[in-house]
Amino acid sequence: MVRDTKFPARLLAAGIGVGAGLGALISVASSGLAAYFARKIIVPENAPEELDILHIDGFPPNMRIQLPADEETTVPGTYGLYFNQGSGHAVVGDIVEYDPRSRTVSREILSVTRGDIRRAWRGRWTGVVYPDPIAAGVNFDDIEIRSDAGDLPAWLLPTDHPEPHDTWAILIHGRASTRAEGLRAAPVLNTLGVPSIAMSYRNDAEVRVETTSRYGLGDTEWIDVDAAIDFAVEHGAKNVVLFGWSMGGAIALQAASRGRNRRFVTALVLDGPVVDWVNVLDGQAKKNLLPTPIAKLTLEMITQPWARPITGLETPLDLDRMDWVTRAAELDVPVLLIHSDDDEFVPSGPSHALAGVRRDLVTMPPYGKAHHTKEWNIDPMRWEDDVANFLEAKILPKD
């Protein structure tokens, strides 16, 4: 019997071919998954309304709302609820009743700022209590900030204090939010006599071009803050304080260090700020069970020129430039750093690290149960006192 010695060779060749093909397939799948997450990070998106509105009880001013109990709806404090694709908004107060068996919670409705909540069946929980300056009870003018990205809508919030300061505040919202996020600071700034601007920036929902919009995570948006400072200085500001929430904190840090108007920046007030993007993205990768190689490839895609056709970024992002733990020695203005230790999106570790190495400039009061950028919502009086005490001690002239 003659043995066919070619068969094993053919089988081996086939095995090698299958193995190579499977390896290529896995490589393509990994690259595709990394590209998907890279685009999720940098492509602006509208936050969905995924919270079921179970029931509305009573009539104004004694209305209640029943919601599914989750890690957000069971936290004490005052919050906003957008509904009807953002056209409606209500202010939701403290918990009235919690039913652990049905996993539902009943809370006060303090006001309905717009829309008919009785007709709503789903909404979006948010820290935005004031959807506009009218709801915040402050005077305002609609203005536009002229930037290289175009004309950016903003609210000018002139103080009604009899002796206004020539130090202004620029309010910079976070990722996937709007200029309304900064309005929580408007009442205390008005009381202090500090005029302010609640600004939008490139790629916001108000100004974006859907097919080309990409977030720069602070590496590009700071240019728009420079334009807002231009407006403030042209209208009487001698100095500015930059307020930044979440990604807005990363933007503020870049504007204070790279902007042509940085000489006017005398302080920063940062709430749940991104101090180190690599730390944030690593945390989100773990939270989403993203394998380490794919997570590393995702970071490479947003930071390397070769991936521009995939991500759509005009310029790769420099995440090292946005690492303020490493750059701590370069900080040169006082900072009030408000960051809850249970922040589920932006870990507070880098903020503590920055505060630890720059105790000469950074004030960081302890917050523990506010989640992400909701320290004001948990305790507005404390938040406002922290801001007022910081500004009066560090920036505003004594009487």
Side-chain angles (χ1 to χ4, degrees):
M1 180 176 180
V2 179
R3 180 174 295 174
D4 183 359
T5 57
K6 294 181 181 178
F7 177 75
R10 288 199 304 271
L11 185 61
L12 179 62
I16 292 173
V18 169
L22 183 59
L25 185 62
I26 291 172
S27 178
V28 169
S30 298
S31 298
L33 191 56
Y36 169 79
F37 278 100
R39 292 174 72 85
K40 286 284 286 182
I41 292 167
I42 59 174
V43 175
E45 58 185 9
N46 295 320
E49 294 179 353
E50 298 178 329
L51 180 65
D52 290 332
I53 297 174
L54 303 176
H55 192 63
I56 303 293
D57 296 316
F59 297 92
N62 298 307
M63 293 177 70
R64 294 182 181 181
I65 185 169
Q66 188 179 56
L67 302 165
D70 61 26
E71 63 179 9
E72 289 193 318
T73 61
T74 53
V75 177
T78 304
Y79 301 90
L81 182 74
Y82 281 108
F83 55 91
N84 289 346
Q85 289 73 54
S87 64
H89 178 274
V91 181
V92 180
D94 275 327
I95 298 169
V96 177
E97 185 178 0
Y98 167 63
D99 184 350
R101 294 187 64 185
S102 64
R103 293 294 299 163
T104 60
V105 62
S106 180
R107 304 184 69 126
E108 301 174 283
I109 296 179
L110 301 180
S111 65
V112 179
T113 58
R114 60 191 188 211
D116 184 357
I117 196 168
R118 290 186 177 278
R119 295 181 177 273
W121 60 281
R122 190 167 286 173
R124 176 169 61 87
W125 194 257
T126 175
V128 177
V129 168
Y130 306 126
D132 53 53
I134 295 173
V138 295
N139 297 327
F140 76 100
D141 291 308
D142 288 309
I143 62 172
E144 288 186 333
I145 304 297
R146 181 154 293 182
S147 167
D148 69 307
D151 291 336
L152 308 173
W155 289 309
L156 172 63
L157 309 171
T159 176
D160 58 16
H161 194 283
E163 297 181 5
H165 291 290
D166 57 13
T167 294
W168 286 37
I170 309 294
L171 312 180
I172 312 163
H173 68 79
R175 184 184 184 280
S177 189
T178 69
R179 51 185 157 138
E181 183 172 40
L183 291 177
R184 286 171 291 183
V188 68
L189 291 172
N190 181 50
T191 299
L192 291 170
V194 177
S196 58
I197 296 173
M199 64 174 293
S200 60
Y201 48 75
R202 63 193 64 204
N203 302 323
D204 274 354
E206 295 179 281
V207 298
R208 75 178 61 145
V209 178
E210 295 291 347
T211 55
T212 60
S213 291
R214 298 291 184 274
Y215 278 125
L217 306 185
D219 206 18
T220 56
E221 293 84 356
W222 63 270
I223 300 170
D224 302 328
V225 176
D226 242 352
I229 298 174
D230 282 337
F231 184 98
V233 171
E234 289 167 5
H235 290 80
K238 295 291 191 288
N239 304 292
V240 297
V241 179
L242 302 182
F243 281 65
W245 286 260
S246 191
M247 188 177 91
I251 297 170
L253 284 161
Q254 294 303 304
S257 62
R258 298 166 64 186
R260 55 186 166 75
N261 285 325
R262 60 186 178 276
R263 67 187 183 280
F264 295 110
V265 178
T266 54
L268 304 175
V269 176
L270 308 179
D271 190 319
V274 178
V275 172
D276 174 7
W277 268 113
V278 173
N279 177 274
V280 173
L281 298 177
D282 181 60
Q284 288 299 308
K286 291 175 180 175
K287 186 176 180 180
N288 288 281
L289 304 178
L290 199 63
T292 299
I294 296 176
K296 288 182 177 179
L297 182 56
T298 298
L299 285 178
E300 190 172 0
M301 281 185 171
I302 64 175
T303 59
Q304 298 298 322
W306 64 262
R308 285 183 298 178
I310 300 171
T311 63
L313 286 167
E314 291 184 10
T315 305
L317 305 182
D318 188 343
L319 299 184
D320 290 338
R321 189 159 53 192
M322 294 186 282
D323 176 1
W324 282 92
V325 178
T326 301
R327 296 184 62 191
E330 299 175 46
L331 199 65
D332 60 0
V333 295
V335 179
L336 174 62
L337 214 167
I338 297 173
H339 203 155
S340 181
D341 285 330
D342 69 346
D343 192 320
E344 72 277 29
F345 290 112
V346 179
S348 64
S351 291
H352 282 289
L354 176 59
V357 297
R358 291 308 308 266
R359 291 177 182 156
D360 56 325
L361 286 177
V362 178
T363 301
M364 188 175 178
Y367 282 84
K369 297 182 187 252
H371 293 308
H372 184 52
T373 66
K374 295 183 177 71
E375 292 85 356
W376 182 97
N377 302 85
I378 287 281
D379 193 342
M381 185 175 295
R382 183 191 171 197
W383 191 95
E384 292 176 1
D385 282 347
D386 284 341
V387 169
N389 291 337
F390 172 78
L391 293 181
E392 289 176 336
K394 304 291 185 181
I395 304 301
L396 301 179
K398 307 296 187 295
D399 293 333

